[in-house]
Amino acid sequence: MLLGFLLFYVGAVLFLNGLWLMGRIEDREIVVINIISGLVAGAVVVQGAFGQGADGQSVRAAALTLMFSTTYFWVAYNRLVAVDGRGLGWFSLFVAITTVPVFLRAVMAAGSATELWLAANWAIWGVLWFMYFLLLALGRPILRQTAWVTLLAGILTGWLPGFLLLDGLM
């Protein structure tokens, strides 16, 4: 159930960040959903890493989830202090590289179509984080494309699976 809860807010923040990148939400207004999503992901991290029943797998999941939480807090911070985002861009490269073995491991371990879909999410997130690296750290002119990929990733990798998991449909 925690995965559905987390993915639901990943969907919300990515969808809204996509709209923000398109210029439909102001810089300071986007801070709210990034902080809320960072807190949600952070709570999942604490539960997974330090909660009752924490084990190697839950600690691993918590470490990976912390990449999301850090990203959302960093986006919020960047909007509050109005920096150029290069630091977040370089962090995004670290995360994008990390998603490659995570995706491969998830594909190899997948035993169902649902698990393959969840594995594919890692590939999509990796592409998205790599786009943030190109946009923020290297200054590539891909803002429009990054905005659309962010928005669509929010729907397909966050909101939809999160909603289905919360409703017990997946």
Side-chain angles (χ1 to χ4, degrees), residues 3-16 33 37 68 72 117-118 121 124-125 149-170:
L3 179 59
F5 181 65
L6 174 62
L7 287 175
F8 191 77
Y9 277 89
V10 167
V13 74
L14 289 178
F15 180 80
L16 292 170
I33 191 63
S37 298
F68 290 85
Y72 305 142
W117 181 22
L118 293 172
N121 287 349
I124 294 167
W125 294 326
V149 172
T150 302
L151 186 142
L152 293 172
I155 295 168
L156 299 174
T157 70
W159 175 77
L160 186 56
F163 185 83
L164 293 173
L165 285 165
L166 287 173
D167 265 7
L169 301 171
M170 188 168 98

Side-chain angles (χ1 to χ4, degrees), residues 25-149:
I25 298 174
E26 292 186 27
D27 277 358
R28 294 208 181 221
E29 193 173 10
I30 201 63
V31 169
V32 173
I33 191 63
N34 279 278
I35 289 174
I36 289 170
S37 298
L39 290 170
V40 167
V44 171
V45 167
V46 170
Q47 173 64 29
F50 307 107
Q52 187 175 3
D55 59 14
Q57 187 164 333
S58 69
V59 171
R60 179 182 175 278
L64 296 173
T65 302
L66 190 55
M67 296 186 305
F68 290 85
S69 185
T70 302
T71 300
Y72 305 142
F73 282 129
W74 207 325
V75 169
Y77 172 80
N78 285 357
R79 299 302 26 106
L80 291 173
V81 298
V83 295
D84 65 11
R86 282 182 290 173
L88 176 57
W90 285 104
F91 174 72
S92 296
L93 176 62
F94 165 80
V95 177
I97 292 168
T98 302
T99 64
V100 174
V102 174
F103 163 71
L104 293 172
R105 183 177 183 180
V107 166
M108 289 187 294
S112 69
T114 299
E115 290 175 352
L116 279 174
W117 181 22
L118 293 172
N121 287 349
W122 282 103
I124 294 167
W125 294 326
V127 167
L128 185 57
W129 264 304
F130 188 70
M131 291 178 80
Y132 294 143
F133 163 70
L134 294 174
L135 178 69
L136 298 171
L138 301 184
R140 295 292 198 276
I142 59 168
L143 178 61
R144 185 170 187 266
Q145 297 90 333
T146 304
W148 276 105
V149 172

